[in-house]
Amino acid sequence: MSNQKIKKAGGAEPDEFESQVAQELLNLEMTSTDLKASLRDLYITAAKEVDCGAGRKAIIIYVPFKLQKPFQKIQARLIRELEKKFSGRHVIIVAQRNILGKSYARSQKTVGLRPRSRTLTAVQDAILEDIVYPTEITGKRTRCKVDGRRILKVYLDGRDQANVEGRTDTYAAVYGKLTNKQVAFHFSS
């Protein structure tokens, strides 16, 4: 029954954790009156549990790119409910995106370059936007250290500081796991 809430690429079977997340989404659809209509046509493509250090864990839920907007409409309520179910773990919703390599060649029928939205940098920027949603990113700086390391400083909207401040470590850990880039979050005043 929970398999209607998860559709993996190529028809692969979901693992136990993904089935558990899909079952919770199905339970929310059945029990929650305000989320029922919104969740009816939505499904996920994958779910992962990520270790954030200091004994904390986060759940990354991947959704199809085409369903990202409907998920964002209910994201605040959905995350609140899912975090109640998976106590002690932050829940992050990220759209499933494709990265096309530099040697990407289109088929014979269509000609042209690879879309800018499929480049590595564009996908990593979009993942960062997804992770911090609904907070807006107001600025970014790349700090190059003497030893060659790069740290991305991300400035978030100061109005959301009270809501987001406890989650910035989780955001940094999840972004680091997904992209292998170090990031530090600050709040603009």
Side-chain angles (χ1 to χ4, degrees), residues 107-183:
S107 65
Q108 293 293 330
K109 287 182 255 175
T110 57
V111 292
L113 303 170
R114 77 180 156 159
R116 292 276 185 243
S117 63
R118 307 287 195 290
T119 61
L120 178 71
T121 358
V123 169
Q124 289 180 344
D125 287 346
I127 287 173
L128 186 61
E129 295 273 349
D130 288 352
I131 288 174
V132 301
Y133 188 84
T135 306
E136 285 186 21
I137 295 174
T138 56
K140 288 185 207 169
R141 305 283 183 273
T142 303
R143 179 161 186 227
C144 299
K145 293 204 170 185
V146 180
D147 61 358
R149 286 186 299 153
R150 290 177 171 214
I151 296 177
L152 183 66
K153 284 186 171 184
V154 177
Y155 294 93
L156 302 175
D157 196 351
R159 291 175 291 189
D160 298 325
Q161 185 168 359
N163 304 336
V164 179
E165 199 155 25
R167 304 172 70 100
T168 55
D169 294 338
T170 305
Y171 291 165
V174 168
Y175 187 71
K177 288 273 197 267
L178 293 178
T179 63
N180 290 327
K181 286 186 172 182
Q182 282 187 310
V183 66

Side-chain angles (χ1 to χ4, degrees), residues 67-79:
L67 294 179
Q68 182 188 19
K69 289 283 186 258
F71 264 106
Q72 285 182 342
K73 286 181 185 171
I74 60 166
Q75 186 163 341
R77 289 177 291 167
L78 182 63
I79 284 179

Side-chain angles (χ1 to χ4, degrees), residues 3-39:
N3 286 354
Q4 68 189 24
K5 283 292 167 197
I6 183 164
K7 295 180 183 172
K8 293 186 71 73
E13 279 295 311
D15 63 23
E16 188 178 327
F17 181 71
E18 290 173 333
S19 297
Q20 183 184 359
V21 172
Q23 184 62 47
E24 291 300 337
L25 280 173
L26 188 65
N27 292 347
L28 276 176
E29 183 183 335
M30 298 299 178
T31 58
S32 177
T33 53
D34 58 335
L35 291 174
K36 184 173 188 138
S38 305
L39 279 174

